mmCIF file of all heavy atoms in Angstrom:
data_model
loop_
_atom_site.group_PDB
_atom_site.id
_atom_site.type_symbol
_atom_site.label_atom_id
_atom_site.label_comp_id
_atom_site.label_asym_id
_atom_site.label_seq_id
_atom_site.Cartn_x
_atom_site.Cartn_y
_atom_site.Cartn_z
ATOM 1 N N ALA A 80 -69.949 -21.268 -89.497
ATOM 2 C CA ALA A 80 -68.709 -21.416 -88.704
ATOM 3 C C ALA A 80 -67.882 -22.581 -89.185
ATOM 4 O O ALA A 80 -66.646 -22.566 -89.026
ATOM 5 C CB ALA A 80 -69.009 -21.588 -87.233
ATOM 6 N N GLU A 84 -62.116 -24.035 -90.061
ATOM 7 C CA GLU A 84 -61.847 -24.909 -88.895
ATOM 8 C C GLU A 84 -60.984 -24.172 -87.859
ATOM 9 O O GLU A 84 -60.918 -24.583 -86.700
ATOM 10 C CB GLU A 84 -61.203 -26.186 -89.320
ATOM 11 C CG GLU A 84 -62.134 -27.058 -90.173
ATOM 12 C CD GLU A 84 -61.493 -28.365 -90.555
ATOM 13 O OE1 GLU A 84 -60.323 -28.545 -90.162
ATOM 14 O OE2 GLU A 84 -62.135 -29.178 -91.227
ATOM 15 N N GLU A 93 -65.806 -22.976 -69.023
ATOM 16 C CA GLU A 93 -65.332 -24.263 -68.490
ATOM 17 C C GLU A 93 -65.800 -24.495 -67.074
ATOM 18 O O GLU A 93 -65.619 -23.614 -66.221
ATOM 19 C CB GLU A 93 -63.769 -24.352 -68.529
ATOM 20 C CG GLU A 93 -63.226 -24.288 -69.934
ATOM 21 C CD GLU A 93 -61.688 -24.411 -69.944
ATOM 22 O OE1 GLU A 93 -61.102 -24.548 -68.852
ATOM 23 O OE2 GLU A 93 -61.068 -24.316 -71.008
ATOM 24 N N ILE A 108 -71.088 -26.503 -66.372
ATOM 25 C CA ILE A 108 -71.303 -26.397 -67.827
ATOM 26 C C ILE A 108 -70.036 -25.934 -68.523
ATOM 27 O O ILE A 108 -69.348 -25.015 -68.076
ATOM 28 C CB ILE A 108 -72.458 -25.416 -68.120
ATOM 29 C CG1 ILE A 108 -73.778 -26.063 -67.721
ATOM 30 C CG2 ILE A 108 -72.448 -25.008 -69.567
ATOM 31 C CD1 ILE A 108 -74.975 -25.207 -67.976
ATOM 32 N N GLY A 144 -65.541 -21.865 -61.758
ATOM 33 C CA GLY A 144 -65.445 -22.081 -63.215
ATOM 34 C C GLY A 144 -64.826 -20.855 -63.911
ATOM 35 O O GLY A 144 -64.497 -19.824 -63.293
ATOM 36 N N THR A 154 -64.394 -13.458 -64.928
ATOM 37 C CA THR A 154 -64.637 -13.699 -63.474
ATOM 38 C C THR A 154 -63.619 -12.940 -62.624
ATOM 39 O O THR A 154 -63.823 -12.762 -61.427
ATOM 40 C CB THR A 154 -64.608 -15.185 -63.158
ATOM 41 O OG1 THR A 154 -63.296 -15.701 -63.449
ATOM 42 C CG2 THR A 154 -65.655 -15.942 -63.948
ATOM 43 N N SER A 157 -61.945 -6.380 -63.733
ATOM 44 C CA SER A 157 -62.280 -5.210 -62.958
ATOM 45 C C SER A 157 -63.516 -4.569 -63.639
ATOM 46 O O SER A 157 -63.815 -4.811 -64.807
ATOM 47 C CB SER A 157 -61.110 -4.237 -62.930
ATOM 48 O OG SER A 157 -60.914 -3.679 -64.261
ATOM 49 N N GLN A 173 -85.433 -9.887 -73.759
ATOM 50 C CA GLN A 173 -86.639 -10.645 -74.118
ATOM 51 C C GLN A 173 -87.842 -9.768 -74.425
ATOM 52 O O GLN A 173 -88.497 -9.942 -75.436
ATOM 53 C CB GLN A 173 -86.975 -11.644 -73.004
ATOM 54 C CG GLN A 173 -88.259 -12.482 -73.314
ATOM 55 C CD GLN A 173 -88.495 -13.517 -72.228
ATOM 56 O OE1 GLN A 173 -87.626 -13.850 -71.450
ATOM 57 N NE2 GLN A 173 -89.674 -14.078 -72.246
ATOM 58 N N PRO A 190 -76.771 3.770 -76.566
ATOM 59 C CA PRO A 190 -75.361 3.312 -76.411
ATOM 60 C C PRO A 190 -74.360 4.288 -77.005
ATOM 61 O O PRO A 190 -73.274 4.461 -76.442
ATOM 62 C CB PRO A 190 -75.360 1.971 -77.179
ATOM 63 C CG PRO A 190 -76.771 1.511 -77.181
ATOM 64 C CD PRO A 190 -77.604 2.760 -77.291
ATOM 65 N N GLU A 193 -73.959 7.075 -74.546
ATOM 66 C CA GLU A 193 -73.318 6.610 -73.298
ATOM 67 C C GLU A 193 -71.871 6.346 -73.443
ATOM 68 O O GLU A 193 -71.083 6.652 -72.530
ATOM 69 C CB GLU A 193 -74.070 5.359 -72.794
ATOM 70 C CG GLU A 193 -73.507 4.768 -71.504
ATOM 71 C CD GLU A 193 -73.887 5.605 -70.307
ATOM 72 O OE1 GLU A 193 -74.824 6.384 -70.405
ATOM 73 O OE2 GLU A 193 -73.198 5.458 -69.255
ATOM 74 N N MET A 205 -76.015 6.986 -88.152
ATOM 75 C CA MET A 205 -75.898 5.613 -87.705
ATOM 76 C C MET A 205 -77.227 5.054 -87.245
ATOM 77 O O MET A 205 -77.528 3.886 -87.480
ATOM 78 C CB MET A 205 -74.888 5.556 -86.549
ATOM 79 C CG MET A 205 -73.459 5.866 -86.969
ATOM 80 S SD MET A 205 -72.270 5.790 -85.604
ATOM 81 C CE MET A 205 -72.298 4.077 -85.166
ATOM 82 N N GLU A 211 -82.999 1.178 -90.763
ATOM 83 C CA GLU A 211 -83.285 0.672 -92.089
ATOM 84 C C GLU A 211 -82.958 -0.823 -92.152
ATOM 85 O O GLU A 211 -83.678 -1.616 -92.794
ATOM 86 C CB GLU A 211 -82.443 1.433 -93.114
ATOM 87 C CG GLU A 211 -82.962 2.841 -93.406
ATOM 88 C CD GLU A 211 -82.131 3.534 -94.459
ATOM 89 O OE1 GLU A 211 -81.067 2.991 -94.895
ATOM 90 O OE2 GLU A 211 -82.508 4.665 -94.870
ATOM 91 N N GLY A 228 -95.568 -5.597 -81.223
ATOM 92 C CA GLY A 228 -94.623 -6.424 -80.527
ATOM 93 C C GLY A 228 -93.379 -6.747 -81.361
ATOM 94 O O GLY A 228 -92.244 -6.669 -80.902
ATOM 95 N N GLY A 229 -93.608 -7.073 -82.649
ATOM 96 C CA GLY A 229 -92.511 -7.326 -83.531
ATOM 97 C C GLY A 229 -91.643 -6.130 -83.784
ATOM 98 O O GLY A 229 -90.429 -6.225 -83.866
ATOM 99 N N ASP A 265 -86.106 -14.472 -87.592
ATOM 100 C CA ASP A 265 -85.127 -15.523 -87.898
ATOM 101 C C ASP A 265 -84.242 -15.078 -89.095
ATOM 102 O O ASP A 265 -83.005 -15.152 -89.061
ATOM 103 C CB ASP A 265 -85.809 -16.838 -88.210
ATOM 104 C CG ASP A 265 -86.425 -17.497 -87.019
ATOM 105 O OD1 ASP A 265 -86.029 -17.121 -85.886
ATOM 106 O OD2 ASP A 265 -87.240 -18.365 -87.163
ATOM 107 N N LYS A 291 -83.704 -23.467 -87.827
ATOM 108 C CA LYS A 291 -83.488 -22.651 -89.024
ATOM 109 C C LYS A 291 -82.204 -21.833 -88.954
ATOM 110 O O LYS A 291 -81.473 -21.712 -89.943
ATOM 111 C CB LYS A 291 -84.684 -21.683 -89.240
ATOM 112 C CG LYS A 291 -84.492 -20.750 -90.437
ATOM 113 C CD LYS A 291 -85.725 -19.865 -90.599
ATOM 114 C CE LYS A 291 -85.511 -18.902 -91.805
ATOM 115 N NZ LYS A 291 -86.689 -18.024 -92.002
ATOM 116 N N PRO A 329 -94.474 -33.698 -72.989
ATOM 117 C CA PRO A 329 -94.436 -33.342 -71.576
ATOM 118 C C PRO A 329 -93.469 -34.265 -70.845
ATOM 119 O O PRO A 329 -93.285 -35.446 -71.189
ATOM 120 C CB PRO A 329 -95.889 -33.588 -71.060
ATOM 121 C CG PRO A 329 -96.427 -34.598 -72.025
ATOM 122 C CD PRO A 329 -95.811 -34.288 -73.355
ATOM 123 N N LYS A 331 -92.232 -36.647 -68.019
ATOM 124 C CA LYS A 331 -92.897 -37.634 -67.160
ATOM 125 C C LYS A 331 -92.559 -37.403 -65.745
ATOM 126 O O LYS A 331 -91.384 -37.191 -65.358
ATOM 127 C CB LYS A 331 -92.479 -39.062 -67.579
ATOM 128 C CG LYS A 331 -92.882 -39.432 -68.996
ATOM 129 C CD LYS A 331 -92.406 -40.856 -69.345
ATOM 130 C CE LYS A 331 -92.780 -41.199 -70.809
ATOM 131 N NZ LYS A 331 -92.313 -42.542 -71.149
ATOM 132 N N GLU A 337 -96.352 -41.505 -52.030
ATOM 133 C CA GLU A 337 -95.675 -41.369 -50.745
ATOM 134 C C GLU A 337 -94.705 -40.189 -50.773
ATOM 135 O O GLU A 337 -94.605 -39.481 -49.777
ATOM 136 C CB GLU A 337 -94.906 -42.649 -50.429
ATOM 137 C CG GLU A 337 -95.830 -43.833 -50.132
ATOM 138 C CD GLU A 337 -95.045 -45.066 -49.671
ATOM 139 O OE1 GLU A 337 -93.789 -44.928 -49.548
ATOM 140 O OE2 GLU A 337 -95.673 -46.110 -49.450
#
Side-chain angles (χ1 to χ4, degrees):
E84 295 181 358
E93 296 181 3
I108 288 180
T154 60
S157 68
Q173 180 175 345
E193 180 72 20
M205 292 179 68
E211 285 181 354
D265 289 341
K291 178 179 179 180
K331 297 178 181 179
E337 290 186 4

